[in-house]
Amino acid sequence: EPWIEPAMGCLARPVLWAALLVLTASESFLSNEDVGDTAQTCNVDTVQVANLRQLHPILHDLVNTTFFRLFRVNLRNPTCAYWKSPDAEEKPSSEGTCTGSVPTLGSKPAFMSKGGFSTGFSSRAAPPEPGCSVEADGSSEGIDRKLTVQEKVAQLERGNETEECEFEEDLPTYWVDMCSGDHAKGMSLEDVNLIKNPERNTGYNGSHIWQAMYDENCFEVGSSMPRGRFASDASMCYEERVLYRLLSGWHASTSISIAKNFYAPGTKQKGQWAPNLERFMKDIGDHPERAKNLHFSFVVLLRAVRKAAPFLQSYAFHTGDDKEDRKTKMLMSRLLDSQLLSLCSPLFEAFDETRLFRSSSTEQRSQLKRQFKSVFRNITELVDCVQCQRCRLHAKLFSLGLGTALKILLSPEDLISTTTSRDDVVALVNILWKMSDSLEDVRLMTKQYYENHNQKPKEEAPRPTGQSVAVARLEGDNQPMPLSARRELLDLSLAAVRHSSSKGLLPSEAEEMLLRFLMSGASEEVLLLARHYAVDRPETFCRLALFSTEKEKASAAVPHQEAYGSKQRPADAIVIGGGLAGMSASMALLDRGGSVVMVEKQPYLGGNSGKASSGINAALETSVESLVADTTKSAGSLARPELIQRLAEDSAEAVSWLRDRTKVDLSLRSQLGGHSVKRTLRPSNAFVGAELTFAAGQVLTKTAEQGGNFRLLLKSKWTALSRSEEVWKVEVRINGSTQVLYGHQVIIATGGFGHDSKETESLLLKHRPDLADFPTTLGPQTTGDGVKFARDIGAGLVDMDRVQLHPTGFVDTKKPLENTKTLCAELLRGVGGLLLDRNGRRFTNELGTRQAVVNAELKADKAGLSLPQPSPHRAFALVLNSKAAKMAERHVTLYSKKGLLTKVEGVEGLAQHFGYEVDILKQSLRDYNDAAKSGSDVFGRTVFPDYTIEETEDFYVGEVVPVIHYTMGGIAINVEGQVLDKDQKTIPGLYAIGEASGGVHGDNRLAGNSLLECTVFGRHVGMALPIRTGSTASGAASGAVSAVSSPASEELRKITQEELLKHRADGDLWVALYGQVYDMTEYVWEHPGGSQAIFDVGGQDGTVTFEAVHNKELLETMGFQPVGVLA
């Protein structure tokens, strides 16, 4: 996953979070500064030990009881409100397909990367759309639905629980509908055995679901600053951070389960599932912030259980088997009486509902409550979009369990017994178990990983009498030493030194050397030596510690390789900004063997490039001259021919390079406003900016993980820029401390200044004060940092008063005055969307340049033709008929889901929605149809779609306003991307690309040229700037796939069709795929899509069936090894 979320609470340096989870003390692991959710007196050690010794074994037994292993759920016909066609409600289908994935940004979520997994084999043909699943929702594939006699009795004993919910936020009962399980939705339900259907790797790619969940976590109360995915940590309100950490903890637990049960039986181990330890370390081990969130979620669940203890103690765990019920009740009592729940009260009191919804404003407090509940319920609804049934089962369980915990914590205690259903109890306990198990799995998989890499854990020695638990636990775990244990052993070491010195056994010089060594950070080996010798044999300890000191001093004399960006090893380039421009420059430079340090102040890569939705221009099947002409026309009197020529001439090669490097589909071509031909490219099933930035981010993230020539610094704020002795110094603020980076060149790719209106020194208000009350589509990071730093060292600035207003920023009618708007893609007007005034009449050429359409809007507004209140100032109607909506299906679906587009029936419904007179509206549509037939209209429009608008068809309507969208002005550059000073001379070693630079677009940017500029100039700078490190090309970043040296493997034997045909029965099942034969005997019964799909192709070539829903890479990813090649 993508793990595409803001990485909250990162530690100062990457360490194995598994080790931290097991051992680190609270002050270094769960610090109060993150969310203020834990108490110092009950630290991670306490919780971990209690989990391992008490909670984990109790919960294991509890979830295996009949009561807790049965979960009532709807898996056959869920209703997904996301990723449906606009007319989906009129065309019900049982096929579990979707039209694509939600846009993904940055380095977030990376658990299930794009193009990685799908769901499993299928004997059916693929759906016509690019499906992200193959399971039919009504089928029995993937789920073991068999119940024992005892379980069937328990099923019959269940009542029909349909608790009613209340919705007034001023009532104590407001939170009781925080989590409505399937039983409350009147759906087709069944009881599923959770033990028979454990969570494990099914091959399903759930990245789009996780991304959508993180996108939903967005509060917008009491501030004009956009929050959620595009916000900084500081801008996220407390309530938002709490939900984020719970969601991230859920994500971590799921990923641990997948890594634990990754390789199917028969691939790595006979008869059982095997872990993917490398995936575990990549997804979990290298991300300590995810550990914090897992632990935080675990603590929140424990607190909910503790608050509900009286209710759970008296609960009737009724299954129809008295003996079984007594066992369940006894286990629950043991859980509630455990030491952690009974003694560690500060841990629970440090996080409580009184810290939520604190506001002096009653209205704001009510809004926070509404948004908190609404966001969580939206997230839970997303689980119905999971197409893998087993995955959906566990997603539903987790969402209901978290919702139950929140409901318990936020509701008065006297309501718990009347508002908590049986399914709530089952879900709460089961996800508490899943998180408890995840904590234990981390310890075991970390240990196994080290053993496989020849780093065997130390054998445990008998603990001397009186030795502390913290010290004793150092043995056998082979994990970093916790702070509390280091302090205890350091204390023993210092006592030994003092003892030896006082006895005259340690010369003063040696004493000082030892003290310096111990206080500056003694190695774990020396501290472990102190554990065994410092007390009983202090002289021996001091003698061996001195030996270790001399050894370290000798090793220090050997020069070590400094990281790129250090003073001793300057990087070829420091790239500041992680949008598409910065990523393009970095990839191009790394491909040449250069060294790069990238600095990005957001927690993820992508920037505003990730928001681009209409496309990227390229003169691939059109002429360079026509792109030059259209760009020049849009640029107006400020057009700079040399920059425009570079942009157009390099467009085809640069976009082809980007497409090849990222593997992003750019097959759709459209004509946007201001263009004379169709040259704007975009994916067939996704948003172009999100796809490109996600894919490029994956390339760079993987390169950074391998070390070498590339360092990636996220959440790092640029604070200063200077130059001395031909080396640039860049100061950045990372985790509260300042770090200085050194580079031979600096590439400024920090974006524009369109969200700079509230900065201490606002470039926007300085150069365009008339735009102070205009909303914006830009992220809060767009504050012109690079422009300001470049200006301060003498760079020239150009066109600073040229700020592009995009004509269509969506108005959210629920909060019409919100300052930050969602961009309404140019594509919607390109496919035939119309702009109407308050009377229902057209007033402009919808395909004109952005500035032309904005000018028409401002003129109409001045004439009193904008929509009346409660619509905001300068608002107009956007109308798409059903044919246009179909052509922009993905966009319409997403905007409809967000409540920005509304479906209405016929012209009458359209007129009623906006208060138009029907006759005037009908005449407007007739005039448009007539103009389309003649090929021109009174507004100068000459391009029309090849359809007629019908009065009886459905329409999709919304409100739009002009918004600040792009700043054409910025740092002066030449055609090489070099920064120019005020005298038009180059500043050596300084480059500017993307929106940070100025002059490329002149008076107004042409739609689709933003991503193109990033790609063309980013790639050009990366290919042209001098390399001094003399490195070889980075394998991970290089476009060419390098051969991996490995021992020569035994040549696979040839298998004939006749021999293959003999292996088609249960117990002996082979399948040929891509010319190789695989033994599926053990895997067939584990296949998440059901065994029949594999039996259908047993003993034959199943490539066509497999290819319909999978890709070839899945075979290797899942660990399958061929037994031969098909002759």
Side-chain angles (χ1 to χ4, degrees), residues 34-52:
D34 289 333
V35 177
D37 47 34
T38 58
Q40 298 292 326
T41 51
C42 286
N43 56 34
V44 173
D45 283 345
T46 306
V47 177
Q48 181 66 27
V49 171
N51 178 55
L52 181 61

Side-chain angles (χ1 to χ4, degrees), residues 4 124 175 198 329 555 564 588 627 665 709 712 777 822 906 966 1027 1037 1065 1109:
I4 354 236
R124 300 189 303 273
W175 300 107
K329 195 171 184 66
S555 64
Y564 281 114
L627 180 54
D665 162 44
N709 293 5
L712 176 59
T777 61
T822 298
Y966 194 87
I1027 294 177
V1109 291

Side-chain angles (χ1 to χ4, degrees), residues 178-486:
M178 189 72 182
C179 54
S180 54
D182 286 347
H183 71 274
K185 300 177 182 178
M187 294 179 170
S188 176
L189 302 174
E190 60 182 315
D191 288 312
V192 177
N193 188 321
L194 295 171
I195 303 301
K196 290 183 178 179
N197 296 278
E199 188 170 36
R200 60 194 179 203
N201 180 22
T202 66
Y204 176 64
N205 180 359
S207 60
H208 59 297
I209 303 293
W210 285 116
Q211 181 61 59
M213 287 183 176
Y214 287 113
D215 286 349
E216 283 302 317
N217 183 28
C218 181
F219 281 34
E220 299 180 9
V221 173
S223 171
S224 61
M225 180 177 293
R227 303 178 184 278
R229 186 178 64 183
F230 297 110
S232 63
D233 294 354
S235 71
M236 294 180 78
C237 63
Y238 177 73
E239 292 78 9
E240 191 176 5
R241 298 203 310 272
V242 167
L243 279 184
Y244 162 74
R245 298 196 72 177
L246 289 173
L247 181 56
S248 180
W250 172 3
H251 197 167
S253 178
T254 298
S255 299
I256 291 167
S257 296
I258 291 172
K260 176 185 178 182
N261 299 290
F262 193 90
Y263 295 114
T267 58
K268 296 292 184 180
Q269 297 181 21
K270 287 290 184 181
Q272 61 182 353
W273 286 78
N276 185 336
L277 300 176
E278 283 68 28
R279 184 181 183 87
F280 163 74
M281 296 304 293
K282 175 184 175 183
D283 292 348
I284 303 297
D286 296 333
H287 297 277
E289 72 279 5
R290 294 172 189 170
K292 291 186 175 184
N293 297 333
L294 175 68
H295 216 100
F296 169 73
S297 302
F298 184 58
V299 168
V300 169
L301 289 169
L302 286 175
R303 188 179 190 283
V305 170
R306 185 171 184 262
K307 182 176 180 180
F311 164 69
L312 295 173
Q313 283 279 21
S314 61
Y315 192 87
F317 300 98
H318 191 52
T319 64
D321 184 328
D322 292 341
K323 182 178 179 181
E324 176 75 3
D325 296 344
R326 287 194 298 272
K327 173 185 174 183
T328 305
K329 195 171 184 66
M330 178 270 293
L331 289 170
M332 177 59 72
S333 296
R334 286 178 56 194
L335 173 68
L336 299 175
D337 292 338
S338 65
Q339 182 181 17
L340 184 67
L341 292 178
S342 60
L343 297 181
C344 203
S345 60
L347 180 68
F348 307 104
E349 294 169 0
F351 171 80
D352 62 57
E353 60 274 19
T354 63
R355 293 202 58 196
L356 294 167
F357 320 119
R358 284 182 174 178
S359 174
S360 58
S361 166
T362 302
E363 175 59 25
Q364 189 174 92
R365 191 162 55 248
S366 296
Q367 289 182 31
L368 276 172
K369 289 183 178 182
R370 286 197 299 270
Q371 289 202 37
F372 188 89
K373 183 165 73 171
S374 175
V375 164
F376 185 81
R377 287 177 65 86
N378 286 345
I379 290 172
T380 61
E381 286 180 7
L382 271 162
V383 302
D384 277 327
C385 300
V386 177
Q387 298 299 310
C388 159
Q389 288 198 20
R390 186 184 293 256
C391 309
R392 186 162 66 244
L393 168 68
H394 289 277
K396 281 177 173 282
L397 179 73
F398 228 112
S399 65
L400 181 59
L402 282 180
T404 300
L406 290 172
K407 177 174 66 175
I408 290 171
L409 291 174
L410 297 173
S411 299
E413 291 186 14
D414 58 356
L415 287 180
I416 294 177
S417 62
T418 59
T419 61
T420 306
S421 71
R422 174 173 179 154
D423 287 313
D424 293 344
V425 175
V426 170
L428 177 66
V429 171
N430 269 279
I431 69 165
L432 181 62
W433 153 251
K434 286 166 73 73
M435 289 201 169
S436 170
D437 203 37
S438 293
L439 302 184
E440 180 64 4
D441 288 338
V442 165
R443 185 181 69 83
L444 296 175
M445 282 193 284
T446 302
K447 180 179 180 181
Q448 189 175 351
Y449 176 86
Y450 282 137
E451 289 175 345
N452 291 354
H453 288 76
N454 298 318
Q455 298 179 25
K456 296 183 179 180
K458 303 172 181 61
E459 295 183 2
E460 183 166 0
R463 180 169 20 140
T465 304
Q467 188 183 84
S468 71
V469 174
V471 176
R473 278 175 38 233
L474 291 173
E475 307 291 336
D477 276 337
N478 193 36
Q479 297 174 349
M481 190 176 292
L483 182 60
S484 56
R486 288 188 65 90

Side-chain angles (χ1 to χ4, degrees), residues 83 192 272 321 332-333 367 471 493 520 535 565 579 634 647 651 704 719 777 844 914 949 964 987 1054 1057:
W83 302 291
V192 177
Q272 61 182 353
D321 184 328
M332 177 59 72
S333 296
Q367 289 182 31
V471 176
S493 302
S520 62
V535 176
S634 185
L647 182 75
S651 64
T719 58
T777 61
T844 185
F914 286 111
I949 298 178
I964 297 172
I987 298 178
K1054 293 183 179 181
Q1057 293 279 2

Side-chain angles (χ1 to χ4, degrees), residues 480-543:
M481 190 176 292
L483 182 60
S484 56
R486 288 188 65 90
R487 287 176 175 173
E488 185 171 351
L489 294 176
L490 179 61
D491 184 59
L492 294 178
S493 302
L494 295 174
V497 173
R498 179 166 183 170
H499 171 81
S500 298
S501 177
S502 64
K503 295 290 185 182
L505 302 175
L506 192 64
S508 58
E509 182 179 347
E511 179 186 13
E512 183 176 349
M513 182 185 299
L514 260 182
L515 291 175
R516 287 179 179 274
F517 171 64
L518 292 171
M519 298 308 297
S520 62
S523 65
E524 290 193 10
E525 288 77 12
V526 170
L527 294 180
L528 288 174
L529 183 69
R531 173 202 182 279
H532 294 283
Y533 289 91
V535 176
D536 300 327
R537 302 174 63 183
E539 300 87 354
T540 301
F541 165 75
C542 290
R543 186 171 64 253

Side-chain angles (χ1 to χ4, degrees), residues 905-1066:
E905 297 182 0
V907 172
E908 288 76 11
L910 175 57
Q912 182 180 5
H913 184 84
F914 286 111
Y916 294 150
E917 293 185 19
V918 176
D919 292 340
I920 294 178
L921 181 59
K922 287 183 177 180
Q923 187 60 49
S924 295
L925 298 183
R926 283 195 292 267
D927 290 345
Y928 175 80
N929 286 334
D930 291 342
K933 291 178 181 178
S934 66
S936 64
D937 66 8
V938 296
F939 305 109
R941 178 167 178 166
T942 58
V943 178
F944 298 85
D946 56 355
Y947 58 72
T948 299
I949 298 178
E950 301 172 16
E951 296 180 358
T952 57
E953 65 181 311
D954 293 333
F955 293 89
Y956 291 83
V957 300
E959 296 182 18
V960 293
V961 293
V963 288
I964 297 172
H965 181 59
Y966 194 87
T967 49
M968 278 72 69
I971 305 168
I973 62 169
N974 60 18
V975 293
E976 306 300 327
Q978 296 171 301
V979 173
L980 303 176
D981 64 17
K982 296 174 183 177
D983 297 323
Q984 296 297 296
K985 296 179 181 179
T986 59
I987 298 178
L990 188 61
Y991 298 80
I993 53 178
E995 197 176 351
S997 66
V1000 176
H1001 306 291
D1003 189 60
N1004 196 41
R1005 178 174 63 81
L1006 183 68
N1009 270 355
S1010 175
L1011 294 180
L1012 178 61
E1013 178 197 14
C1014 293
T1015 305
V1016 167
F1017 284 90
R1019 174 176 176 265
H1020 180 80
V1021 168
M1023 294 178 63
L1025 62 75
I1027 294 177
R1028 305 192 185 190
T1029 55
S1031 305
T1032 57
S1034 170
S1038 176
V1041 179
S1042 58
V1044 179
S1045 59
S1046 59
S1049 58
E1050 183 179 347
E1051 185 176 353
L1052 295 173
R1053 71 182 186 90
K1054 293 183 179 181
I1055 297 175
T1056 64
Q1057 293 279 2
E1058 291 75 16
E1059 182 182 0
L1060 176 62
L1061 190 60
K1062 296 177 182 178
H1063 302 273
R1064 57 182 305 179
D1066 186 10

